[in-house]
Amino acid sequence: MSRSARRITAAVLASGALVAAAALPAVADDHDHGHGRGHAPRSAVVLGKIQYNSPGRDNGSNRSLNGEWVTVTNTSRHSVNLRGWTLRDESHRTYRFDLRLPGRSSVRVHTGVGRDSRTDVYQDLRRYVWDNSDTATLRDAHGHKVDSKSWGHRYGGHR
């Protein structure tokens, strides 16, 4: 390869690297996921099914408390480190994650006391969190909103 061809190839590769480096932080830093800004990609981690009203009588027992839960699902093939992520209700009761969620898997966040596993974690609370009309908000470790779901009469049902 001639000297000028090598220089041109090197310049093209360097330009591509600069463009890629400039674009990467813009994508990685945009945690709004389409809620009010451009056409950013949605997060692979989303809120799934929510059991906000414990089945049976609300008697405050640990079994009843653990009957209410929120599912957090990783829809990608790759694991996601949720350390520092939070799940919060409208009253600002907050659960802080300290786990890695494998690809294409879910974890249920229960209200009551229990032993954490790969599929279930516990807030270790002694009072109900998820009211009949509430919002669950999932935020990443930087505090950026990743997903939210609302339900109940204030929201016209589940959305």
Side-chain angles (χ1 to χ4, degrees):
M1 183 182 280
S2 73
R3 188 176 204 188
S4 61
R6 280 193 298 251
R7 283 185 179 167
I8 291 172
T9 302
V12 168
L13 291 174
S15 298
L18 286 174
V19 169
L24 182 60
V27 173
D29 193 41
D30 187 3
H31 296 284
D32 197 31
H33 304 291
H35 301 288
R37 275 204 253 160
H39 297 287
R42 292 202 44 94
S43 172
V45 180
V46 296
L47 293 174
K49 187 172 180 180
I50 298 171
Q51 178 64 52
Y52 57 86
N53 190 7
S54 177
R57 286 182 1 133
D58 289 345
N59 59 11
S61 70
N62 194 54
R63 181 182 180 119
S64 180
L65 288 167
N66 283 330
E68 68 172 24
W69 41 261
V70 175
T71 305
V72 177
T73 300
N74 178 1
T75 63
S76 79
R77 296 181 316 183
H78 306 286
S79 68
V80 175
N81 186 357
L82 297 184
R83 178 177 238 162
W85 288 44
T86 59
L87 177 64
R88 187 162 103 173
D89 75 335
E90 286 180 346
S91 298
H92 304 288
R93 290 173 285 207
T94 304
Y95 174 77
R96 185 171 301 277
F97 290 89
D98 187 17
L99 64 95
R100 180 171 288 280
L101 188 59
R104 294 196 170 96
S105 67
S106 297
V107 64
R108 273 191 184 169
V109 181
H110 297 271
T111 298
V113 176
R115 188 170 186 175
D116 292 352
S117 71
R118 289 182 309 131
T119 57
D120 297 274
V121 294
Y122 298 84
Q123 297 186 60
D124 296 334
L125 299 175
R126 306 233 183 254
R127 298 182 74 189
Y128 296 98
V129 172
W130 307 108
D131 301 327
N132 289 332
S133 189
D134 210 338
T135 299
T137 302
L138 181 66
R139 294 186 181 274
D140 68 14
H142 301 288
H144 298 106
K145 182 175 164 182
V146 174
D147 197 10
S148 68
K149 280 193 176 181
S150 298
W151 59 88
H153 66 276
R154 287 191 301 242
Y155 305 103
H158 198 86
R159 65 178 173 117

